[in-house]
Each structure stands twice: as C-alpha cells, then as structure tokens.
Amino acid sequence: MPVIVDREKCVGCGWCITVCPNEAIEWAEKEPYDCIAEVIPEFCNDCGKCIEWCRYFAIKKLT
Amino acid sequence: MTEIPQKWDETFDIIIVGAGNSGLPAAYSAVKAGANVVVLEQMPCPSGSFTRMAGWVNQAGTELQKKMGIEDSPEIMYRDFVEVCRPARPVNLEVVKNYCKKTQEIYPFLEQYGAKCLGIHLTAGASRPRGHIYSGVETLKALHKAAQEVGAHILFKHKVVDLYRDPATGRFVGLKVRVRRGEYLNFRAKKAIILASGATLDNPMLVWEYGSYRHVSLCCPEARGHTGEIIKVLTRMGIPIRYPGTHIYASVPLDYNTRHPLSHTLLIWWAGAILVNINGVRFINEDEKLFPTVGEACFLQPDAISFVVFDQTLYDIIVRDVPQIDWKYFRPYKANTLKELAEQMGVPADNLIKEVNEYNEDIKKYGYDRKFGRRKCLLFDKPAIPIEKPPFYAVKGISGLTSTRGGVMINERGQVLDLDERPVPGLYAVGELATGGLFRDGNYICGTHTGFAISYGFIVGEIVAKEG
C-alpha cells in the first residue's frame, strides 16, 4: 500500500522528496506560493523512507 | 563530465535556475537589458525562502528611512557589514559594496509592484535601523509580477539535474532538465547560466553531510525548494563550495506546538521578552549583537528547547509594532501568575519566578540586567522593560535550521570562481548560493540574505545581458 501525506501537517520542507528513491513524491501547490508534498501512488513501492525522515509526522501508511 | 548533447531542445540567451528572490530580479533586469531569458523552477510556483523569512530586508538610504528621520547610507551599511560579518579574504569586497549600493533601489521597486513596506526595525548587528519589514509572500508576488510583466519565460516543474560544460573551453553551455519522471530536456544557454538555486537545507543528506546529526533532527523553517541539486553537480565538477558545513546554523527557534515556518520566536525576544531553558533559567543576553550566538545558545540548551517569557505590556507592543508576527501561527501558554505559567510550561516554578524577579529588579534599579548585561529591546532600540503585568505568556521554541552561510564564491560581476579564484566562463551565481565566504564564522546581520538576494539578482542580470 502506498503512503499518504497529511495536507495539514505537511509544511513543504521537501525532505521526503529528496530521500525518495523512486521519485514517487512531488511538489504540489497547496495555495498560491505555498507548496507541499504529494505522493504519486503508482510509483510508491512502500519502502517507508519518507516516513522515517519526516520531521512533522505528516506521512502515513495507508492501511 | 557529462557529454554535451548533439541536439538541444531549447535555446535561450540566459538561463536562470530558480524562480526565487534572486532569480526573478535577475530575470527582470536581464530582460530589461534586452536578453531572451528563461527561468527554470522545480516547484509548481515561485518559491523563494522569502515566503518563510522573519521579515526584514536590509536597505540603506531609502526614502522611508529619510521620512522616519533615520540617517543611513550604503557606506555605513558597508562598514557595518565588514565589521560584523568580517568577510574572509579572498572574498571580493566589491561584491559587498555593490550590494550595499543597490539596496536603495529595492524599496521603490517593491512599492511599484505592490509589496508594501510595513515599517523599519533595528536588526541584530546593524548600527542603525534598516531592516525594512515585508511580508515574504507579498514580496515574492511582486518580484514574480515584475519578471512576468517584462516578458521573462518562467517554466515551473523544470528541475535542473545536470550542467553541461564544454571540455575544450571549460565554458558552461547548457543544462539538463527533468520535466517529469523519465523525461529530460536539454537547454542551451547562448550567453550564460545564472544559478539562483539556493542552498542545501531541503536535502537531509546534505544537511547531514555539511552539518551534524543533531541538525538533522530539527525543523527547517526557512528553506524552500533548496534541494541542493546544483551544489551536488558543482561539487562533482570541482567548483569549490565554501563553508557550507560550519554554516548550517540552527539559529531560529520555532513554536514547538505549531512548528509553523512563520512562528519565529526570535521576533518576540528581540521585542523585549526573556529567554529561559527547560530548567526555567536564563542563559544569554537576548540582545547579543552577534545574532548566531543567541541562536546557537538556544540550540545548545537541553533538547534544543527554549522558552520566551513575556507579559501583557509586551504583548500589546508586539501587536502594535511587530507587524510580521501573526499570532495564529503561535500557541502561547498564558496564565495570571508566573507559578501557573511555569506549570503549563513544565519548568520548575521557583527558578522561573526567581529569574523574572531578578531581571525585573535589575532593569528597574540599574537599567540593565546584571546577569548577562541586557539593556535594550533590540528591534525598537529602546530600554529593556520589566516583565510584570499579568497575564503572562510563554512560547515554547524548538531550534530550526534557517539559512546557510556558505556557497560558491563570486566576483563583483557575479561570476562563479574556481579553486584558483579564476572566473568560470559562462557560469554566474546569485542569492543564497552565492554567499560563500561572505560571513566569516557565520557572523551575520539579520536581513542580509534577503537584501543580498534581490540586489545582486538585479546587478548580475543586467551585467550578463549586456556583456555576458
């Protein structure tokens, strides 16, 4: 199961995007001039690296 | 070295990497000077670190300063900079001079494009008030609008992954851009590439590489899209990156309970609050002129946690005079007595009460506190005030990474320098990436990066378009 980003908790620091080995997370515009992370489910192989690195506890596994 | 492609997908005079607060002004002035310019940005919108700054852009000798009766000039600003930041030799001091001179033009420019200046503060390290207060998002909007209006091409979701360098001449001729997964384009730059891609803080691997494991566990308030791709590529190509390591500072605590990027607690202590750690004890002179000293001190407290403690009087002052604070980003503790406040904060009440009482007595009796020698509320350049009018407030802060003080070295024309201090042909840098060596030991005047980004953006854009 892919992971999901909590839109409220994510501050858009980008750490998950840089650590994702699969290019499965991208920036998405939340509101003008403010971006957060967004998972592209078909590329996510569920390795969990992004969850490990997120300092805002904003990424969860879908169960 | 990556081989130069046979066929180019796109060709422009000038390619700017990063649509932030140095890339956009560079694009503006380059187009104005007649060049065909493209700005490549990996995020879906303009994305400067400005959107998360504490709110000052240092400018000297502006109309607003004159109106407020503040005597200031680029020469004084230059003197401050050299005194406080002590740029390491081989830094070209012409860079600093040009930057100080150009800052005057920022204020009318932003005004023209709709970003209002909300006032002026004295910032740590500056000898007179020149921190012009702006909303980060409004500033970015204004710069974006300016670049768009003159006709710069701005391409979003275009991430630069590699630079092409001609092996025969050593000249940088183009770059490789990731458009989406597995799809790449090659852009050719006829005149030059201007790097405005910021630093490394949005990449934990680079924070770890240049900082320490302690830094990796902190929040990261100020960077925006600073994933460090360019720094990685430059390192691979042998372009020196100066001091990225010691200069990853954890200098701005954020509200622990919200962790919002705009909940800078330094705004509160500089307005007059005191700092205590989880033992309820003060640990530094809050008005210390060298800004990183206070930031580092907060970082070195147990668990990197620091509290700002203040009262209703100061709360009212902040609401009136510190326009960049938005209380919706903070979750302060509030109580009618210091004892209750200490309970909410989870610090020993005896210690906190003792600290505050001592501080109040000293301020009233001597005009300064005897423990660390605080005299002033820095932002307003006014005498420190006692903390005595209930209700009392406290904000719990956890240190966060802010900006880096390292990067590539540039000469006065903005050209990137190699290890022999020779300019690399075809490659320019502006903004946070170009601050290599400017701040020795991380000594820093608040509001420098912001002013430097915009003013050097203007300068380099114009130079490259005219001479490139």
Side-chain angles (χ1 to χ4, degrees), chain A residues 11-15 18-19 22-24 26-29 33-35 43 49 53 55-56, chain B residues 42-46 52 140-141 144 178 181 201-202 204-205 208 216 218-220 224 227:
Chain A
V11 303
C13 76
W15 280 25
T18 47
V19 299
N22 241 13
E23 297 183 35
E26 295 221 339
W27 301 106
E29 206 167 344
Y33 301 94
D34 194 9
C35 295
F43 301 139
K49 246 186 148 178
W53 279 103
R55 296 158 290 174
Y56 297 89
Chain B
Q42 62 166 327
M43 291 172 88
C45 58
R52 340 186 113 187
L140 187 58
K141 261 186 209 165
H144 185 200
R178 175 192 182 273
R181 196 185 160 91
L201 290 179
D202 282 355
M205 293 308 166
W208 204 341
V216 176
L218 298 172
C219 352
C220 177
R224 209 79 238 268
T227 49

Side-chain angles (χ1 to χ4, degrees), chain B residues 313-354:
Chain B
T313 314
L314 188 65
Y315 186 92
D316 296 338
I317 292 177
I318 289 173
V319 169
R320 196 183 64 219
D321 291 338
V322 190
Q324 66 265 58
I325 283 198
D326 191 336
W327 285 106
K328 75 174 179 226
Y329 301 136
F330 294 86
R331 217 174 295 148
Y333 305 110
K334 185 177 173 185
N336 280 324
T337 64
L338 283 170
K339 188 160 177 284
E340 286 166 38
L341 189 71
E343 271 161 25
Q344 286 187 36
M345 291 156 66
V347 307
D350 301 348
N351 287 359
L352 184 71
I353 294 168
K354 188 169 152 260

Side-chain angles (χ1 to χ4, degrees), chain B residues 95-405:
Chain B
V95 173
V96 183
K97 260 182 214 159
N98 289 346
Y99 144 61
C100 293
K101 234 181 271 164
K102 195 78 178 177
T103 52
Q104 290 181 60
E105 293 168 30
I106 299 175
Y107 171 69
F109 182 86
L110 289 179
E111 186 95 351
Q112 185 193 338
Y113 284 96
K116 283 260 171 307
C117 178
L118 307 171
I120 298 182
H121 281 158
L122 182 69
T123 56
S127 69
R128 43 205 78 193
R130 68 169 75 96
H132 291 58
I133 309 164
Y134 288 96
S135 143
V137 174
E138 294 304 317
T139 316
L140 187 58
K141 261 186 209 165
L143 293 168
H144 185 200
K145 195 171 146 205
Q148 264 180 329
E149 266 179 23
V150 291
H153 306 273
I154 306 176
L155 303 176
F156 297 109
K157 295 199 157 199
H158 280 55
K159 178 180 183 173
V160 175
V161 292
D162 210 347
L163 299 171
Y164 294 121
R165 191 174 188 182
D166 189 333
T169 59
R171 191 181 177 81
F172 281 83
V173 291
L175 28 80
K176 186 176 176 184
V177 182
R178 175 192 182 273
V179 191
R180 57 182 71 83
R181 196 185 160 91
E183 197 178 311
Y184 296 91
L185 292 178
N186 294 315
F187 279 65
R188 177 167 166 248
K190 276 197 281 190
K191 277 188 168 165
I193 297 167
I194 302 177
L195 303 174
S197 54
T200 52
L201 290 179
D202 282 355
N203 188 331
M205 293 308 166
L206 290 175
V207 170
W208 204 341
E209 169 75 18
Y210 296 133
S212 77
Y213 71 92
R214 274 200 81 190
H215 291 109
V216 176
S217 61
L218 298 172
C219 352
C220 177
E222 275 189 22
R224 209 79 238 268
H226 288 190
T227 49
E229 301 301 325
I230 297 295
I231 291 200
K232 280 196 274 184
V233 173
L234 291 178
T235 312
R236 214 166 57 226
M237 288 181 151
I239 308 286
I241 311 287
R242 311 280 181 178
Y243 322 118
T246 50
H247 296 244
I248 289 186
Y249 267 101
S251 44
V252 176
L254 299 181
D255 188 327
Y256 183 88
N257 295 311
T258 63
R259 301 215 177 188
H260 193 278
L262 289 174
S263 62
H264 298 111
T265 65
L266 92 163
L267 294 167
I268 305 176
W269 85 65
W270 274 344
I274 57 166
L275 273 169
V276 299
N277 61 15
I278 52 174
N279 298 321
V281 180
R282 283 179 69 220
F283 49 86
I284 192 152
N285 173 8
E286 293 83 352
D287 282 351
E288 167 68 52
K289 272 278 184 191
L290 284 179
F291 159 61
T293 320
V294 197
E296 278 294 279
C298 293
F299 175 51
L300 293 173
Q301 297 312 304
D303 295 341
I305 283 176
S306 55
F307 292 90
V308 282
V309 180
F310 53 106
D311 64 353
Q312 189 61 41
T313 314
L314 188 65
Y315 186 92
D316 296 338
I317 292 177
I318 289 173
V319 169
R320 196 183 64 219
D321 291 338
V322 190
Q324 66 265 58
I325 283 198
D326 191 336
W327 285 106
K328 75 174 179 226
Y329 301 136
F330 294 86
R331 217 174 295 148
Y333 305 110
K334 185 177 173 185
N336 280 324
T337 64
L338 283 170
K339 188 160 177 284
E340 286 166 38
L341 189 71
E343 271 161 25
Q344 286 187 36
M345 291 156 66
V347 307
D350 301 348
N351 287 359
L352 184 71
I353 294 168
K354 188 169 152 260
E355 263 326 301
V356 174
N357 286 345
E358 267 176 22
Y359 177 80
N360 288 349
E361 271 169 33
D362 281 1
I363 294 291
K364 279 191 253 175
K365 200 164 167 193
Y366 305 102
Y368 67 95
D369 102 86
R370 284 182 297 169
K371 195 169 177 188
F372 295 110
R374 181 190 203 171
R375 286 171 187 278
K376 294 212 156 161
C377 304
L378 189 128
L379 291 184
F380 321 123
D381 202 14
K382 285 188 183 145
I385 46 171
I387 296 165
E388 50 189 7
K389 186 181 169 196
F392 298 99
Y393 299 85
V395 176
K396 185 177 186 179
I398 175 154
S399 285
L401 304 167
T402 55
S403 42
T404 58
R405 316 271 192 264

Side-chain angles (χ1 to χ4, degrees), chain B residues 386-462:
Chain B
I387 296 165
E388 50 189 7
K389 186 181 169 196
F392 298 99
Y393 299 85
V395 176
K396 185 177 186 179
I398 175 154
S399 285
L401 304 167
T402 55
S403 42
T404 58
R405 316 271 192 264
V408 297
M409 295 249 290
I410 56 171
N411 64 10
E412 73 281 4
R413 301 179 67 232
Q415 289 174 294
V416 175
L417 302 180
D418 67 10
L419 268 173
D420 299 318
E421 281 187 66
R422 283 180 312 217
V424 179
L427 196 64
Y428 293 74
V430 290
E432 193 173 327
L433 180 66
T435 54
L438 280 182
F439 314 105
R440 189 195 291 187
D441 301 333
N443 293 348
Y444 179 62
I445 300 175
C446 274
T448 297
H449 270 106
T450 48
F452 179 77
I454 303 182
S455 55
Y456 241 79
F458 282 135
I459 294 171
V460 173
E462 196 180 335

